[in-house]
Amino acid sequence: MMRFRNNEIGAGHPMFVIAGPCVIESEAMSLSVAETLRAISDRLGLALVFKSSFDKANRSSSASYRGPGEQEGLRILEKVRDATGLPLLTDIHTPEQARAAADVVDIIQTPAFLARQTDLIVAAVETGIPVNIKKAQFMAPGDMRQVVDKARRAAAAAGVPADNVILTERGTSFGYNNLVVDMRSLAIMAETGCPVVFDATHSVQLPGGLGDRSGGERRFVPLLARAAVAAGVDGLFMETHPDPDQALSDGPNAWPLDQVEPLFRQLLAIRAASMPLPARELAHA
């Protein structure tokens, strides 16, 4: 079990959602999306974390939009927090960004491509707030045991909570420019004792599929989300945008904002009928 703000997540607790635009495009858009998501979360009684990045350092092309940068991006996120009261998540790409981000957000995220970057993980964990570590596309789910061990050792050395790690599945490389999702991964990563999240939008991404940027198969987001929730995942990650086709980052795999609530309602109904991830029990059998 883990806590952020007044929310408890993990085995035996309600499903939570991480949602928002891939990257901060403007203050006005960030506030508008966050206010919409807050209203949805209130109507559904759903614990929701607003997610958006101040810098996307792992873009396909140097010409791609990266975001407003650390200082301006964190200012906008702080404004979102104050205006909506939503918990916040953002990702960091360098150890130096960890402390500044932790002063504003409730959860720090390490990008999938950097899942094995020791200095980054240590810096994130040392802040003392929850860290969402996304499994790399090139890693097997069992490999995340070493990542979790690395994080817990760093937490113990820093004297901060050692149970503040979340793991996220976001698909596995399948040949060139494609990902595939192995739902067994959710149960395998749950054996670490960490809350497990399924990233329904990046899992349908086609990395580098459009040459100078990534493509995506948005139509499969609901299918994979339903499967993961039925499997008993602890949380769901979903990037959303008012107009995905015009999004400045990851538009092809983002879910339209006006279709979020119907999908969430369906997923909550599935969650009510599903069991928690079985691996927590199987690991001790």
Side-chain angles (χ1 to χ4, degrees), residues 3 99 102 106 108 122-131 155 158-162 164:
R3 178 187 294 273
R99 185 68 265 168
D106 299 272
I108 291 176
V122 169
V125 169
E126 286 178 342
T127 64
I129 70 170
V131 178
V160 299
N164 268 355

Side-chain angles (χ1 to χ4, degrees), residues 94-215:
T94 67
E96 294 75 22
Q97 294 174 336
R99 185 68 265 168
D103 288 341
V104 174
V105 305
D106 299 272
I107 303 173
I108 291 176
Q109 179 170 282
T110 59
F113 282 126
L114 303 180
R116 295 175 63 176
Q117 292 295 103
T118 300
D119 291 345
L120 183 67
I121 291 170
V122 169
V125 169
E126 286 178 342
T127 64
I129 70 170
V131 178
N132 182 32
I133 303 176
K134 304 189 83 171
K135 180 181 76 66
Q137 302 92 322
F138 52 82
M139 291 175 67
D143 295 341
M144 293 303 286
R145 295 187 183 96
Q146 302 305 318
V147 177
V148 172
D149 181 65
K150 185 185 299 184
R152 287 174 174 161
R153 287 177 182 271
V160 299
D163 58 354
N164 268 355
V165 176
I166 304 166
L167 300 180
T168 293
E169 168 61 58
R170 56 128 318 143
T172 302
S173 296
F174 188 69
Y176 298 122
N177 308 122
N178 197 16
L179 299 172
V180 68
V181 176
D182 179 359
M183 289 295 167
R184 295 175 300 176
S185 173
L186 303 175
I188 293 169
M189 291 199 296
E191 292 174 357
T192 64
C194 297
V196 176
V197 171
F198 177 67
D199 184 340
T201 45
H202 285 103
S203 291
V204 301
Q205 192 177 63
L206 301 176
L210 299 180
D212 62 344
R213 62 194 187 281
S214 293

Side-chain angles (χ1 to χ4, degrees), residues 68-108:
E70 179 181 331
Q71 184 173 353
E72 175 65 2
L74 290 176
R75 183 195 69 79
I76 292 172
L77 287 173
E78 188 171 15
K79 194 155 187 177
V80 168
R81 181 193 66 196
D82 294 343
T84 67
L86 286 173
L88 304 177
L89 176 148
T90 199
D91 43 16
I92 61 172
H93 291 82
T94 67
E96 294 75 22
Q97 294 174 336
R99 185 68 265 168
D103 288 341
V104 174
V105 305
D106 299 272
I107 303 173
I108 291 176

Side-chain angles (χ1 to χ4, degrees), residues 1 24 34 70 101 126 142 156 182 185 220 236 246 253 255 284:
M1 187 271 290
I24 297 170
E70 179 181 331
E126 286 178 342
D182 179 359
S185 173
F220 292 124
L236 189 75
Q246 300 302 316
N253 53 261
W255 191 245
H284 302 290

Side-chain angles (χ1 to χ4, degrees), residues 12 57 92 105 117 226 249 252 258 266 274:
I92 61 172
V105 305
Q117 292 295 103
R226 289 193 297 264
S249 177
D258 62 1
Q266 185 181 62
S274 68

